[in-house]
């Protein structure tokens, strides 16, 4: 691919990301959270037992960032950090009742990005096939840059009721 085409593609990808990020941020703010707080809460919600390290791995953050976000969530009463009696070295995070209520509130939003993708898919078989190919590209892209564990975590999510 020539450099002009690569430059254009990267800018289109950034533009797509900004739409999603702004919408996610706006929706989180409407329920009194930051985008990072909402993301951490969803990771905690979708995992049976989750450690701080695991949150950092699937959230694509440094552990120090996760610790800062968890401190805010703990101060707000949305998460609890416990240690197991069998291994006091490892901390586990779980949602409180208030945290579960916040998760429920966050499901009330629809995302125009998702709506656009659904509408685009319905336009034609070619569009649907393109989106399937794009999905596969995104999977492979993320596997290359973030590893199989990250991709496996995402793939596992679509099997759960969210």
């Amino acid at each position: 691919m020539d450099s002009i085409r690569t430059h254009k593609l990267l800018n289109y990808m950034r533009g797509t990301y900004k739409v999603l990020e702004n919408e996610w941020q706006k929706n989180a703010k409407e329920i009194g959270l930051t985008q990072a707080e909402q993301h951490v809460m969803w990771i905690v919600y979708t995992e049976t037992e989750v450690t701080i390290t695991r949150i950092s791995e699937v959230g694509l953050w440094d552990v120090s960032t996760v610790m800062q976000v968890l401190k805010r969530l703990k101060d707000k009463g949305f998460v609890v950090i416990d240690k197991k009696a069998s291994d006091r070295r490892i901390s586990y995070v779980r949602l409180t009742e208030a945290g579960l209520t916040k998760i429920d509130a966050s499901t009330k939003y629809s995302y125009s990005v998702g709506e656009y993708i659904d509408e685009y898919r319905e336009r034609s078989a070619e569009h649907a096939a393109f989106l399937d190919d794009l999905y596969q590209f995104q999977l492979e892209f993320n596997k290359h840059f973030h590893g199989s564990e990250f991709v496996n975590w995402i793939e596992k999510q679509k099997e759960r009721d969210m």
Side-chain angles (χ1 to χ4, degrees):
M1 184 179 291
D2 63 61
S3 61
I4 295 295
R5 191 166 173 89
T6 299
H7 175 74
K8 287 179 180 180
L9 178 61
L10 293 175
N11 277 287
Y12 282 133
M13 290 171 75
R14 183 175 186 278
T16 302
Y17 173 73
K18 291 305 282 184
V19 170
L20 180 58
E21 181 182 42
N22 290 340
E23 192 167 40
W24 192 351
Q25 194 167 18
K26 178 181 147 266
N27 290 346
K29 186 177 180 179
E30 287 186 25
I31 59 171
L33 298 172
T34 66
Q35 180 183 354
E37 289 170 343
Q38 186 181 40
H39 194 149
V40 166
M41 288 179 67
W42 270 99
I43 292 169
V44 173
Y45 176 76
T46 60
E47 294 281 321
T48 306
E49 285 188 329
V50 65
T51 64
I52 295 165
T53 301
R54 178 73 173 156
I55 294 168
S56 74
E57 290 168 354
V58 298
L60 306 176
W61 294 296
D62 290 331
V63 170
S64 62
T65 302
V66 173
M67 292 296 295
Q68 291 171 11
V69 174
L70 285 173
K71 181 181 180 334
R72 291 193 313 262
L73 289 171
K74 186 177 175 185
D75 291 347
K76 292 178 180 181
F78 297 138
V79 299
V80 176
I81 303 172
D82 296 316
K83 295 196 181 281
K84 285 194 169 189
S86 60
D87 189 349
R88 306 290 296 161
R89 297 170 297 165
I90 301 172
S91 296
Y92 292 89
V93 183
R94 63 182 169 82
L95 295 175
T96 63
E97 284 300 317
L100 289 169
T101 300
K102 225 22 128 166
I103 285 289
D104 185 55
S106 77
T107 65
K108 306 299 185 224
Y109 296 101
S110 61
Y111 288 85
S112 59
V113 171
E115 292 167 2
Y116 180 81
I117 290 170
D118 291 343
E119 291 168 9
Y120 185 87
R121 176 179 292 284
E122 292 171 6
R123 290 182 195 166
S124 69
E126 290 83 15
H127 285 168
F130 168 75
L131 287 175
D132 291 342
D133 289 343
L134 181 60
Y135 176 88
Q136 189 62 38
F137 170 77
Q138 288 289 322
L139 184 150
E140 291 172 20
F141 182 92
N142 279 278
K143 190 179 224 178
H144 176 80
F145 286 99
H146 301 298
S148 295
E149 185 63 27
F150 177 71
V151 168
N152 291 342
W153 181 79
I154 291 173
E155 290 301 305
K156 181 178 74 172
Q157 300 312 302
K158 69 180 187 177
E159 298 169 5
R160 296 182 186 213
D161 291 331
M162 290 176 134

